[in-house]
Amino acid sequence: MSKIFDDPMYFKKLSLGQKPDYLWIGCSDSRVPANEVTNTDAGELFVHRNIANMVVHTDMNLLSVLEYAVKFLGVKHVIVCGHYGCGGVKAAMSNDLHGFVDNWLRNIKDVYNKYTVELEAIEDMDKRTDRLTELNVIEQVKNLSKTTIVQEAWKTRELHLHGWVYGINSGLITDLKVIHDAKEDIEKIYRFD
Ligand SMILES: [Zn+2]
C-alpha cells in the first residue's frame, strides 16, 4: 500500500521492464537483503544469492544469472558482497559435519588453504573468521573475472567488478578495493587493513 501511496505510478513503472545497472552476488543470510543493504529500490539491482556469496564455475544458476545480467540487461557493475558473521564462513572453518552444505563450503576451505599462513597468524578466532570472509570475497571476484561471460564482455566494453563486505553490526559496507582493469584483465589486489 505504502508504495502506491508514495508514488501512484510505482507499479506501472515497474511493469514496463527492468534496466538495472548492478548485479548483486550476496549471501543467502536473511540479515543481508540486497536492496536494504544498499538503500536501493526495486528495479535497481539484479540479484543472485547463495550461501557465502560464492562464484563457482560449475554453478549453472550463477552463470545463467551472470550471463543474463551482463549480456541482456547490460549491467555496468557486478558486486560480490560478503558479510561479517557469515555462518557459511564459520562452518567452513570447522571440521564438524553439517550435511550436504559441506560440499558447497569446500570452496571456502580451498580459500582457507590458499591463505593458511596469513590466517593462522591471526590468533583471535573472530578476527580470523573476518579475514577469511574478506579473502573469500576477493577470491570470488577473481573467479568472476575468469568466467567466459566477463572475459567476453571485456573485449567490447567496460564492466566493473567489486568486492565488498557488509557489517551486520554496523550497517557499514567496506570496499575491499579488488580492482580489475577491464579488457586488460590485470588484477591488483589491495590488502584490507
Ligand atoms: Zn553469510
Side-chain angles (χ1 to χ4, degrees):
M1 276 304 280
S2 64
K3 293 290 185 193
I4 288 201
F5 186 77
D6 292 341
D7 178 2
M9 296 300 286
Y10 183 80
F11 291 107
K12 175 73 181 163
K13 278 189 256 175
L14 283 185
S15 71
L16 296 177
Q18 59 170 334
K19 192 68 185 146
D21 284 335
Y22 306 90
L23 166 62
W24 172 273
I25 299 172
C27 184
S28 299
D29 192 306
S30 62
R31 298 166 297 175
V32 282
N35 286 112
E36 285 193 30
V37 167
T38 54
N39 199 24
T40 50
D41 215 338
E44 291 187 74
L45 293 180
F46 202 61
V47 173
H48 176 83
R49 292 170 72 181
N50 62 44
I51 293 173
N53 39 271
M54 306 300 289
V55 177
V56 177
H57 289 151
T58 50
D59 181 355
M60 299 303 282
N61 187 353
L62 178 277
L63 293 174
S64 302
V65 169
L66 180 64
E67 182 179 64
Y68 188 74
V70 171
K71 232 174 164 174
F72 299 100
L73 294 176
V75 298
K76 299 179 181 75
H77 303 267
V78 184
I79 299 158
V80 177
C81 188
H83 65 101
Y84 296 118
C86 182
V89 174
K90 277 186 197 160
M93 287 178 75
S94 84
N95 288 320
D96 299 337
L97 290 175
H98 306 90
F100 192 79
V101 72
D102 289 319
N103 300 290
W104 183 252
L105 299 177
R106 184 70 239 166
N107 298 293
I108 307 180
K109 288 175 186 281
D110 289 342
V111 176
Y112 188 100
N113 289 338
K114 186 172 175 183
Y115 294 95
T116 305
V117 175
E118 178 184 341
L119 288 166
E120 298 197 346
I122 304 169
E123 285 187 19
D124 183 285
M125 284 308 283
D126 288 337
K127 287 194 176 121
R128 192 187 291 181
T129 309
D130 286 352
R131 184 59 187 150
L132 179 58
T133 300
E134 293 163 5
L135 291 169
N136 185 48
V137 167
I138 289 168
E139 286 299 313
Q140 302 320 309
V141 177
K142 274 192 205 173
N143 288 346
L144 191 58
S145 76
K146 304 301 179 198
T147 59
T148 54
I149 299 153
V150 170
Q151 292 280 322
E152 290 220 345
W154 278 349
K155 283 182 188 165
T156 57
R157 71 176 178 98
E158 294 217 343
L159 177 66
H160 305 283
L161 311 182
H162 308 271
W164 293 356
V165 181
Y166 175 71
I168 286 176
N169 55 3
S170 66
L172 298 175
I173 286 171
T174 302
D175 184 348
L176 297 176
K177 297 191 167 56
V178 189
I179 297 176
H180 293 263
D181 284 351
K183 298 177 187 172
E184 300 293 326
D185 190 16
I186 297 168
E187 57 194 36
K188 293 177 185 170
I189 310 296
Y190 292 102
R191 190 177 159 173
F192 166 67
D193 299 309

